Amino acid sequence: MRGPMLVAHRGASAAAPENTLAAVRAAWEAGADAVEGDFRLTRDGVVVCIHDATTARTADIDLTVAAAPLARLREADVGSGKGRRWAGERIPTIDEVLDAVPADKTILIEIKDGPGLVVPVARALKRALLPPERAVIIAFDPAVIRRAREVMPATRRYWLTGPEGCRTAEALAGFLEKIGADGAGCRVHRGIDRRFAAALRKRGKELNVWTVDRADAARRLAAAGVDSISTNRPGPIGEALEAAGLRKARPGGPGDSGG
């Protein structure tokens, strides 16, 4: 057993500023199999990597992403808040993030702006020549999942949910079928166990668990057979899983947990 795919949540965001190229690079250095990033559309139609609708939390100026052009957003320093060594780090475009994904790694693209962002993201994936198996579209909005299935059917799609959406594997699998999702990204809770993961797998659905920053939780979930674990700390979590014999370092690939 190779163990779960290790996903760096917003990049290696415990070590570097979230959703930046620095965090993406840090993820690869830490041995992550994949990175996850959040994407929104600027006023002038550019897809950029940022979690919040504004820059207030992560930057030195407060801008609304949807109301600002890329040039203005590029003026925001999204690194200094993490430390002086990151001063001058800028909000990256999706093209820049995709260019930073090696051929043997994977990216999970969280669409924050609704189904209207699906086509621009699909165009970016096409420009990057990234094979469909190296990308996963993720979203809380079922409409995004449905639209992604229409626009890029060969690219995997995960519906994101809190504990309320994954109380039982049977109900979750049924909903995933209904909206055309290949899997779920479930916020970590005690109900995710070996039976839960096996029941989803029996229905042909994959299971990502987020956000797991404690080694004991990561070991429990890996032993339960989840397909991937998202963490802000890919280095320490990966080391803990490898030390427990629950993961081997390998190229990324969604659902590639056997072999």
Side-chain angles (χ1 to χ4, degrees):
M1 178 178 177
R2 287 177 172 176
M5 181 170 73
L6 193 64
V7 181
H9 180 246
R10 306 180 194 175
S13 53
E18 67 175 62
N19 281 320
T20 63
L21 294 179
V24 172
R25 290 190 294 267
W28 309 140
E29 292 168 2
D33 302 304
V35 294
E36 180 267 352
D38 307 284
F39 294 88
R40 295 181 177 274
L41 203 62
T42 68
R43 190 181 75 189
D44 48 349
V46 180
V47 182
V48 292
C49 189
I50 184 170
H51 181 275
D52 300 354
T54 76
T55 63
R57 179 177 61 87
T58 54
D60 58 341
I61 53 177
D62 186 2
L63 301 169
T64 299
V65 177
L70 177 63
R72 178 65 172 137
L73 288 165
R74 289 286 214 186
E75 296 174 5
D77 180 341
V78 292
S80 293
K82 191 76 172 180
R84 284 184 295 177
R85 65 176 293 194
W86 309 112
E89 197 71 28
R90 304 300 169 184
I91 297 171
T93 66
I94 191 171
D95 292 327
E96 291 169 332
V97 174
L98 293 176
D99 283 347
V101 179
D104 61 344
K105 302 293 183 178
T106 297
I107 182 168
L108 278 65
I109 299 172
E110 182 173 349
I111 292 183
K112 305 296 286 188
D113 274 351
L117 191 55
V118 170
V119 169
V121 166
R123 289 172 178 160
L125 288 170
K126 186 175 182 180
R127 286 194 300 272
L129 302 178
L130 196 71
E133 64 271 17
R134 294 299 175 192
V136 183
I137 302 300
I138 64 176
F140 285 94
D141 185 351
V144 170
I145 302 300
R146 293 188 181 101
R147 181 62 174 148
R149 184 183 187 184
E150 295 171 356
V151 173
M152 39 182 154
T155 301
R156 293 175 185 270
R157 302 163 299 278
Y158 291 173
W159 177 60
L160 301 177
T161 180
E164 70 284 353
C166 50
R167 289 194 180 97
T168 71
E170 292 74 15
L172 176 57
F175 186 71
L176 297 177
E177 288 286 353
K178 181 179 178 180
I179 66 173
D182 299 288
C186 291
R187 187 169 183 174
V188 63
H189 67 94
R190 296 299 302 183
I192 299 176
D193 55 16
R194 185 177 296 277
R195 180 196 168 280
F196 187 96
L200 277 183
R201 186 174 298 109
K202 186 176 180 180
R203 296 281 293 271
K205 302 303 179 184
E206 297 165 7
L207 178 59
N208 167 265
V209 184
W210 56 274
T211 305
V212 183
D213 287 342
R214 289 178 48 179
D216 58 345
R219 287 190 292 264
R220 178 181 69 81
L221 292 162
V226 304
D227 294 292
S228 57
I229 292 174
S230 291
T231 175
N232 299 309
R233 306 171 62 241
I237 294 300
E239 289 170 3
L241 294 180
E242 289 166 18
L246 293 167
R247 177 181 181 270
K248 292 182 180 179
R250 59 175 174 79
D256 183 14
S257 59

